[in-house]
Amino acid sequence: MLEKSDTSVGEVLTLFNETGLEVGLLVPTPTGLQKSIMDATASFRDFLADASIHDFSRQAQGQENKVVVQAMMVFADGIKQTKVSLYRPNTKSGDPRVCIYGLKSHAVPFNLLAFFLWNDLLHVVNCSDSAVLHSIRQPNTPLGDIAQAAKPGLSSEADELLGMLREIGARGWIQTLRPGDTGIGMTLETLLGINANSSKLPDFKGIEIKAKRAGRKRKNRVNLFSQVPNWKLSPLGSNKALLDAHGYEGTGRKQLFCTITGKMANPNGFLLSIDGQKDWLRQNHVTAEAVTRMAVWELTKLRDRLTSKHRQTFWVSAQTRGKGPKEEFHYLAVEHTRAPRVRNFEALIEAGIITLDYTLYEREQGGAVGDHGYLFKINPKDFSALFPPSEIHELVA
């Protein structure tokens, strides 16, 4: 239901990403609000379980097994106590339900609700109320005070590395240990006592270190990662079957280049959807008559790819002078980027903010199929909805 939110999911996740608060999101429908009952979506269930609030997978069906938790509803000028009930009805397959007491007085259909845990209490924010949402950046407001207190500090490993880099920065100009573009990184790693190796592991106690010459900006990554569908789980079974069924003629060969979102079907009729029960991402083909499943990705693999591709990183910048073997570096600043909010991945898929690109083509007439990847992408303006904001640390006073 996030695709029907009357408020930007990306903006809300960006604002909460500026804090250390992990959030779960829900959007009430007209029927759900009227009956005070909402479906507990897969991503919301994961939020509750990860926060040790409630595990629907262990809950039996029926009103007698309903769980009621104390909660706080956050407003721009105060906090009101409420309750949230969590249960699985006897009807159908016992699809998980959530009810927020008194919500009808403070929300309308398709408002975007954010939930977070603070001081061992579940808190609820109606993010469609702009006064409440933007109070997250305002001191001396309930949400602003919580956000300020929740902001994460440096880990002991990051603090240790930052201290070492400040010692290097205080040394001033240092001559390169290797001429060429790679000299700046190799010199810094040597100064830190890191031996050159081909390992894919982070350089320093889980932290990746990247050195760059000042003035060369790090470009926003539009392509998050590429991941092939699990063809064994996918009805079509192969990239060739996908191209044969839905490809079109172009530049003398059959091809399939398109962008797919979870918000609405594209001109090909392709639509992404989250299967919460199986923890899958599906790509469906939607027509007026039917919805046909085409390809499947296991969400656990997509989360792992996102995490491994974008690790905690120190981007160290330096001024330079001289050329070749006489080039010198003065290491001046660090931009610290943290790992993505993996929980936000599915919400951003559903909201149409993270998209999937197909890049299939026929290598030769009637022959093998090639591709440039199954590309999961995000617009640079929405990057902060997935990644916590970076921090800049000066190395020289």
Side-chain angles (χ1 to χ4, degrees):
M1 288 299 297
L2 293 183
E3 72 277 6
K4 295 185 178 180
S5 167
D6 61 8
T7 300
S8 168
V9 173
E11 179 188 2
V12 168
L13 292 178
T14 294
L15 288 170
F16 277 98
N17 266 353
E18 294 176 0
T19 75
L21 298 170
E22 294 272 0
V23 297
L25 301 177
L26 286 179
V27 173
T29 63
T31 302
L33 196 62
Q34 181 62 34
K35 294 183 177 181
S36 297
I37 299 172
M38 290 181 288
D39 291 334
T41 62
S43 59
F44 184 71
R45 298 197 299 270
D46 288 343
F47 159 74
L48 293 177
D50 290 348
S52 299
I53 297 170
H54 181 67
D55 188 346
F56 274 107
S57 68
R58 297 175 178 269
Q59 186 176 23
Q61 292 178 234
Q63 285 288 327
E64 65 276 15
N65 297 303
K66 179 169 65 175
V67 172
V68 178
V69 299
Q70 298 296 319
M72 308 298 289
M73 190 167 289
V74 184
F75 302 96
D77 56 357
I79 293 180
K80 179 180 178 182
Q81 193 169 20
T82 186
K83 296 179 181 179
V84 175
S85 67
L86 308 160
Y87 67 99
R88 298 179 59 218
N90 285 316
T91 56
K92 298 183 179 179
S93 57
D95 293 337
R97 300 283 191 264
V98 56
C99 171
I100 305 167
Y101 291 32
L103 181 62
K104 285 190 287 187
S105 301
H106 305 292
V108 298
F110 306 118
N111 279 180
L112 181 61
L113 307 178
F115 300 74
F116 63 86
L117 186 69
W118 181 248
N119 286 341
D120 296 323
L121 275 174
L122 184 63
H123 287 63
V124 187
V125 179
N126 185 347
C127 298
S128 296
D129 185 332
S130 61
V132 182
L133 178 62
H134 292 101
S135 71
I136 198 170
R137 288 177 171 168
Q138 297 168 5
N140 302 318
T141 65
L143 187 57
D145 288 345
I146 292 173
Q148 186 62 39
K151 281 188 176 179
L154 283 177
S155 65
S156 59
E157 295 81 9
D159 192 53
E160 179 185 356
L161 178 57
L162 185 59
M164 295 169 67
L165 290 169
R166 282 183 170 138
E167 290 179 3
I168 293 171
R171 291 174 57 177
W173 292 98
I174 299 170
Q175 186 169 334
T176 186
L177 299 177
R178 176 193 292 168
D181 285 344
T182 60
I184 186 170
M186 184 268 188
T187 301
L188 180 61
E189 290 184 355
T190 301
L191 294 170
L192 289 168
I194 300 171
N195 297 323
N197 61 75
S198 58
S199 172
K200 293 182 179 180
L201 297 174
D203 300 309
F204 181 88
K205 298 183 178 181
I207 302 172
E208 188 78 4
I209 301 170
K210 300 289 186 184
K212 60 178 182 176
R213 291 165 173 81
R216 298 186 182 182
K217 294 184 178 180
R218 180 172 56 87
K219 295 182 179 179
N220 287 318
R221 289 188 180 184
V222 175
N223 182 23
L224 289 170
F225 59 85
S226 175
Q227 182 61 47
V228 176
N230 185 327
W231 290 120
K232 292 181 179 179
L233 300 176
S234 302
L236 282 177
S238 70
N239 58 1
K240 187 176 189 307
L242 174 58
L243 185 62
D244 288 344
H246 296 280
Y248 55 86
E249 293 299 323
T251 61
R253 64 182 183 184
K254 183 173 280 191
Q255 60 188 37
L256 180 59
F257 289 83
C258 66
T259 297
I260 313 165
T261 80
K263 196 170 181 70
M264 60 186 300
N266 70 3
N268 305 80
F270 297 169
L271 180 70
L272 299 176
S273 69
I274 301 293
D275 184 333
Q277 289 188 332
K278 293 188 175 180
D279 204 29
W280 289 352
L281 173 66
R282 297 184 184 274
Q283 186 265 296
N284 299 324
H285 183 239
V286 180
T287 66
E289 293 77 29
V291 175
T292 306
R293 296 170 180 173
M294 295 173 56
V296 168
W297 291 259
E298 294 162 293
L299 281 167
T300 51
K301 179 162 285 188
L302 296 181
R303 296 184 197 107
D304 288 346
R305 288 285 291 124
L306 179 63
T307 301
S308 63
K309 185 71 174 179
H310 300 278
R311 296 172 289 196
Q312 181 177 205
T313 304
F314 269 34
W315 305 84
V316 184
S317 59
Q319 287 185 345
T320 64
R321 68 184 184 188
K323 293 183 178 180
K326 294 186 177 181
E327 186 177 19
E328 294 179 303
F329 310 116
H330 190 186
Y331 297 96
L332 295 176
V334 171
E335 181 181 5
H336 180 200
T337 57
R338 290 182 171 90
R341 304 280 194 204
V342 178
R343 187 196 312 287
N344 294 358
F345 179 76
E346 288 139 76
L348 294 172
I349 287 277
E350 290 182 288
I353 293 172
I354 291 179
T355 60
L356 169 66
D357 278 14
Y358 280 163
T359 62
L360 281 71
Y361 60 91
E362 202 172 38
R363 290 188 184 276
E364 55 187 39
Q365 197 69 29
V369 175
D371 65 73
H372 301 297
Y374 293 80
L375 308 177
F376 288 85
K377 295 188 174 186
I378 189 170
N379 192 299
K381 70 180 179 63
D382 295 313
F383 231 57
S384 54
L386 183 62
F387 294 90
S390 61
E391 296 176 353
I392 304 297
H393 300 279
E394 301 297 331
L395 301 180
V396 180

